[in-house]
Amino acid sequence: MIKTVKVRDYMNREVVTLNPDTHLFSAIDVLLTHRVSGAPVVDAGGHLVGVLSESDCLKGILNEAYFEETCGSVKSIMSQVVETIDADADILEAAAHFVKRGRRRLPVTEQGRLVGQISRRDLLRVLKNYNEHGTPRRR
């Protein structure tokens, strides 16, 4: 049954992350290099402390331009309230979260530490595999 499939079974474990002390333009370079629209921000212990999005970057640049402020570091502009999902949550819980909240991806945590990320596309792959084979195949 698909409800027994866990987020950890399909999450991406190789997530591009940022450090809170990274300078904004270095962070923008990381996003552009890896072709991602945002990245989780983790401290030295691997704990999720925020998320930096393209929108956050634009806000930081606009503040610098309009208010003659220095862009500074990721921690000064990142979103600190982060929606996450636990690695042991079932796939249907993740799907419901995506539908209700309109998110494209969620950081996956275990005891407060970032362990991966799951996207709507990952869930579509699970459902496609389930439909074709009766049981989901792991990646």
Side-chain angles (χ1 to χ4, degrees), residues 5 18-19 21-22 49 51 59-60 81 85 101-102 106 115 133:
V5 178
L18 297 167
N19 180 291
D21 296 321
T22 301
V49 295
V51 170
K59 287 176 192 172
V81 177
I85 193 159
R101 301 290 196 166
L106 282 170
V115 294
H133 305 287

Side-chain angles (χ1 to χ4, degrees), residues 128-139:
K128 180 179 182 284
N129 288 338
Y130 190 88
N131 186 48
E132 290 175 352
H133 305 287
T135 58
R137 293 182 309 180
R138 295 191 176 158
R139 286 200 248 183

